Amino acid sequence: MKEFKIQSFVLILISFILGFSEFIIIGILDDLAKEFSVSVATTGYLVTIFALVYAVSTPIITSTLKNNLYHAMVVLALIFTFGNALTIFAPNYTVLVISRVIVAIVSGSLVSLSITFATVIAPMPKRAWLVSWIFSGFSVASVFGVPLGTWISTTFGWRFTFITITLLSIITVFLIIKTLPHNLMQEKQGNVLQQFVIFKDPRIYLSVFIQTCSLAGVYVFYTYLRPIFSKTLSFNPGIITLLLTIFGVMSLISNQASGRIANSKGLRSMPLLYLIEFIVLITMPLWLQNTWLGTVDIMLVGILMYLVNSPLQLHIMGVAENDYPQSLVLASSINSIFSNLGISLGSAAGGLVVSNFGLNNVGIGGAVFTAFALISTVMLNKVNAAREPLY
C-alpha cells in the first residue's frame, strides 16, 4: 500500500508539472511580450501553437509506442525537461516558440502513459480514483502553479519561472526512475486506422464539435486573462496573482460540478448552461467597464468553463463501449485531443480579436464559439433521444 501511494503521488505530480508548464504562459503573457518586444497578441499565439502541436502529436506518438512503456515514459519526460530548459535560455521569440513546440510534442503522450501506468499499479477499487486525480493534477496546476509562476515571474523574472518548472521536472524524472515499474509492456492493439470508424457516428462528430467549440469559446478570453486584469481592469501585480488563484479555484469548482452534472441529467443540462455562458461572455465588454463587475464576470466564466467535460466524456465512452469496442483506445483520448484543438482555435481567434478590436471585446469572440457549442448540444440531445440512453 505504501508503494502504491508513492507511485500514485508520482503520477499525479507528472500531470501537475505538465499542467504547470502548459498553463503558465497565460500568467506571464505580459512579461514575455515585453522581453521579446512583441505584441501581447503575438505572445498569445504561443498558446495556439502549443495546443495545436499537442492535439496533432498525441495520437501519432501514442499509437507508435512499442515494447517497454517505462523506457518510453523516461525518454519523453527527459525531452519534456529539455524543452523547458531550452525556454530558460531562449534568446529570441523564435527559440521560445521552438522550445514550446518540443514540450507540446511529448505532453499528451505523457498523460496517456500516466493513465496506462495507473490502470496497472492501482487495485481495481482505487483505479478510478487514481485516474481522476491524474486529471485533477491539471486543475491543481491551474489553482496553485499558475499564480505561483506568475508571482515568481513578477518578482524575479519569467526565466526563473521556467527554472522552477525545469527543476521540478528533473525531480519528477528521478522519481519516475525510482518508483514506477520497469517492465510494463505495451499490449498489442489493432490497426489504428480501424478505430476511426467511430467518427462516422453523428453522436461522436457532434461531441467532437461541442468539445472543440466549448474550449475555443473559453480560450478566446482565457488566453488574455492577465492582460485583462492588468490593462483593462488596472489591478497591480500583487492583486493579479491573487485573482489568478481565485480563478483557478473557480475552474476547480467547475471540474467538480461537471462530475455532479454527469451523474444527474448529463448533457441534457448543458443547453441552459451554455446559454448562461453565452450571456456572460457576450455582455463582458459592458462588465469590464467597472473593475469589480468585470472581475465578477470573469469568475463566472471560470465556474462555467469545464462543466461539459465529464458528461461529454461519459457520453463518448458510452458510445464506444456499446457500438465501437475496437475504438475504446481512441475514444479515451478524444476529449484531450479536441480540447487542445479548441484551445488552439480559441487562442488564435483571441489574437485576432485583440489585434483588431482590443482586449475589451474578447468575450464577444468567445460567445460566438459558445453559441456553436449550444446549437451542437441541442442537436446531439435530439440524436440521443432517438436511441437508448448510454449513461
Side-chain angles (χ1 to χ4, degrees):
M1 181 59 71
K2 181 179 179 181
E3 183 183 25
F4 168 67
K5 288 181 179 180
I6 295 172
Q7 291 173 333
S8 298
F9 170 77
V10 173
L11 294 177
I12 296 168
L13 179 62
I14 290 170
S15 63
F16 172 80
I17 298 299
L18 292 171
F20 193 178
S21 178
E22 179 175 1
F23 300 148
I24 190 56
I25 295 298
I26 291 167
I28 62 174
L29 213 60
D30 288 345
D31 301 328
L32 292 175
K34 183 178 180 180
E35 170 81 12
F36 295 109
S37 300
V38 295
S39 68
V40 170
T42 299
T43 312
Y45 286 127
L46 287 171
V47 178
T48 305
I49 295 167
F50 187 100
L52 184 60
V53 173
Y54 185 114
V56 173
S57 67
T58 298
I60 295 173
I61 294 179
T62 303
S63 64
T64 57
L65 292 176
K66 303 295 182 183
N67 302 323
N68 193 303
L69 296 184
Y70 162 78
H71 292 154
M73 173 77 89
V74 173
V75 170
L76 292 176
L78 287 171
I79 294 172
F80 174 82
T81 303
F82 169 76
N84 284 299
L86 182 60
T87 303
I88 298 170
F89 301 103
N92 52 54
Y93 186 74
T94 300
V95 175
L96 179 65
V97 171
I98 293 171
S99 71
R100 297 302 293 166
V101 167
I102 292 171
V103 172
I105 286 173
V106 299
S107 290
S109 299
L110 282 169
V111 175
S112 298
L113 284 172
S114 294
I115 294 172
T116 302
F117 272 90
T119 59
V120 171
I121 68 174
M124 187 60 70
K126 292 285 187 180
R127 193 166 292 177
W129 171 86
L130 180 52
V131 171
S132 67
W133 265 104
I134 289 173
F135 282 113
S136 294
F138 288 90
S139 294
V140 175
S142 178
V143 174
F144 298 106
V146 173
L148 173 63
T150 303
W151 176 80
I152 293 172
S153 178
T154 302
T155 307
F156 304 105
W158 67 268
R159 295 182 193 270
F160 281 89
T161 299
F162 280 95
I163 289 174
T164 303
I165 293 173
T166 302
L167 290 175
L168 289 173
S169 300
I170 293 171
I171 294 171
T172 303
V173 172
F174 174 79
L175 291 174
I176 289 171
I177 294 171
K178 287 294 184 180
T179 64
L180 295 186
H182 291 200
N183 57 351
L184 180 59
M185 308 298 288
Q186 171 79 304
E187 293 184 11
K188 188 175 181 180
Q189 299 180 25
N191 191 321
V192 174
L193 294 179
Q194 295 173 355
Q195 299 183 33
F196 278 80
V197 68
I198 194 173
F199 287 106
K200 293 182 179 180
D201 194 307
R203 294 170 296 172
I204 295 299
Y205 61 70
L206 282 171
S207 296
V208 163
F209 194 72
I210 292 167
Q211 188 66 33
T212 302
C213 289
S214 185
L215 268 292
V218 171
Y219 269 77
V220 171
F221 144 80
Y222 185 44
T223 302
Y224 298 93
L225 182 56
R226 184 180 172 187
I228 290 172
F229 279 143
S230 63
K231 293 182 171 61
T232 303
L233 299 180
S234 302
F235 285 109
N236 64 53
I239 297 296
I240 291 175
T241 300
L242 174 61
L243 291 171
L244 289 173
T245 302
I246 296 172
F247 188 88
V249 172
M250 296 300 105
S251 70
L252 188 58
I253 292 172
S254 185
N255 271 315
Q256 295 297 312
S258 178
R260 293 179 179 273
I261 291 170
N263 287 328
S264 56
K265 292 185 178 180
L267 289 172
R268 293 186 295 276
S269 301
M270 289 310 302
L272 175 59
L273 295 171
Y274 273 133
L275 178 61
I276 295 171
E277 183 176 336
F278 173 82
I279 294 170
V280 169
L281 285 169
I282 203 166
T283 58
M284 184 176 284
L286 299 176
W287 292 63
L288 290 178
Q289 293 179 22
N290 179 278
T291 299
W292 297 109
L293 288 178
T295 302
V296 169
D297 187 69
I298 288 169
M299 298 308 166
L300 286 174
V301 176
I303 292 176
L304 294 164
M305 64 190 294
Y306 293 135
L307 294 180
V308 76
N309 282 357
S310 292
L312 195 60
Q313 181 64 45
L314 188 61
H315 174 263
I316 291 170
M317 294 306 295
V319 172
E321 289 170 359
N322 282 271
D323 298 329
Y324 306 95
Q326 79 279 9
S327 302
L328 278 172
V329 174
L330 179 61
S332 66
S333 63
I334 284 175
N335 192 292
S336 175
I337 292 169
F338 288 95
S339 290
N340 277 277
L341 183 61
I343 291 170
S344 177
L345 179 62
S347 57
L352 293 175
V353 172
V354 171
S355 297
N356 293 284
F357 305 103
L359 276 171
N360 282 26
N361 293 300
V362 289
I364 296 176
V368 173
F369 287 108
T370 302
F372 282 119
L374 167 59
I375 294 168
S376 301
T377 305
V378 172
M379 294 172 63
L380 178 58
N381 284 338
K382 287 183 177 180
V383 172
N384 285 333
R387 300 171 179 261
E388 290 185 6
L390 294 171
Y391 52 90

